[in-house]
Amino acid sequence: MAPGLVEQVAHIPAEETKKSAKSKSTSLNYVPGRTVYKSHDESYEFEHLRPHFPKVTWPELKEVPYHDKGLEGHPEFKNLLRSATDVFDYNPKIGTEVHGVDLANLTDAQKNDLARLIATRGVVFFRDQKNFDINAQRELGQYFGTLHKHATTSTPRQEGLEDVHVVYAGEKSPDLRALFTPSFLWHSDVTYEVQPPSYTSLKVLTGPPRGGGGDTLWSSQYAAYDMLSGPMQKYLEGLTALHSAELQAEGTRKLGRTVRREAVVTEHPLVRTNPVTGWKSLFFNPGFVTKIVGVPKTESDHIISLLNEIVATSPELHVRFQWNAGDVAFWDNRATNHSASYGFAPHRRHAVRVCCQAERPYLDPSSKSQEEDLHERYGVPKATKDGSGVVNYND
């Protein structure tokens, strides 16, 4: 059952027990790359949230009104952070962790600040949210907008939670990484919808112990846009991309499951403006973009390849989060991609996700990039992107 260690009591001779007692205070039970495996009995606390694939069909999504609550948030997030005991960024481009805030008991002003912070930082992490059960998670999601119901992925066994997406890998789940290229695993959720999501929460209910794997990574699309040269930015701003749900639907049918809503293919701008920050971002999805519209296939394929490389392989765009049970991540799908990581078998990983439909993606040509805005406000140096200079890279 590697790489886990089953939590069992082995027979230890009496003389070894005496030796162990003497050394217990000075030694640790450490085996490199191995973590203790926890079994889950029939009284599993989250049985009602285990995955279910209902055999129902739904009509196509209709456009719904959307008002971004982040526009009402305080520019310095004072309402949200007044109860915080600590707040820190993971790196300059993306990722912030907040301590001391109970997501289940926020005022409306704090919720607005939360939305603004998520839109600004891409993803925000909260540890050990014991009070933030599935009802509180849905309630907060509904405050931000109309909850999205996924057409193919699993929903909880409990009825009435069809707008909750279940992430579940059990003890016997196969490791599927060989079926995908590494860049393909990077994605932004359901961008093929006419109104792709904005604010999305994921709470891990049960997961590997520390060091057991199952981390999630996010990549900033604000920063991805800023990595491009000025001419390339302008070029991409004039293009659109096709986002397709067809591959997802096809895989669901092959598994013998019901596609609850017919697959759609939607055309979105390749660069969009976030209404809260006013920043331009790439709006590219390695998992769902199939074609760049209006250019030859060779050109389309090369644009997709270039953007895949930027999203998946640029460390300064990335943040990596190591989960504990009860932790919550809140991210803005408009401004980030994310990727799961494998290698946590045989541990169970169980999480629930809630997201809301946002505005139709749009580009405001007068909007700024994250780099431009931070340079003007704080004097943060702009990156040199002309490729000039002499380089001698040595470790």
Side-chain angles (χ1 to χ4, degrees), residues 56-57 151-152 248-250 252-253 257-263:
V56 297
T57 56
T152 60
Q248 200 172 63
E250 178 186 355
T252 295
R253 292 190 183 99
R257 297 169 181 161
T258 301
V259 177
R260 299 186 288 273
R261 191 168 52 243
E262 286 302 309

Side-chain angles (χ1 to χ4, degrees), residues 22 40 45 92 145 210 218 223 227 230 236 304 306 317 356 358 379:
K22 291 181 181 179
H40 300 276
E45 180 182 0
R210 185 174 64 180
W218 283 263
M227 286 194 70
L236 297 185
I304 289 173
L306 168 65
L317 313 187
C356 68

Side-chain angles (χ1 to χ4, degrees), residues 44-61:
Y44 180 50
E45 180 182 0
F46 303 109
E47 190 69 25
H48 63 299
L49 298 177
R50 289 186 64 169
H52 170 60
F53 294 90
K55 296 181 179 180
V56 297
T57 56
W58 301 327
E60 65 177 286
L61 289 178

Side-chain angles (χ1 to χ4, degrees), residues 133-211:
D133 62 14
I134 193 59
N135 296 320
Q137 190 174 356
R138 290 181 69 243
E139 183 179 344
L140 184 52
Q142 287 170 332
Y143 179 82
F144 293 136
T146 301
L147 297 188
H148 176 264
K149 294 164 62 175
H150 204 293
T152 60
T153 56
S154 57
T155 64
R157 290 182 175 180
Q158 179 179 323
E159 293 185 3
L161 301 178
E162 290 77 17
D163 46 25
V164 175
H165 165 60
V166 178
V167 177
Y168 187 92
E171 294 81 342
K172 297 180 181 180
S173 297
D175 186 326
L176 301 176
R177 81 184 93 180
L179 300 178
F180 307 101
T181 62
S183 63
F184 183 82
L185 288 172
W186 284 96
H187 66 283
S188 178
D189 296 330
V190 298
T191 58
Y192 47 73
E193 305 288 20
V194 173
Q195 293 177 273
S198 53
Y199 307 113
T200 302
S201 64
L202 181 72
K203 179 177 181 180
V204 165
L205 307 173
T206 302
R210 185 174 64 180

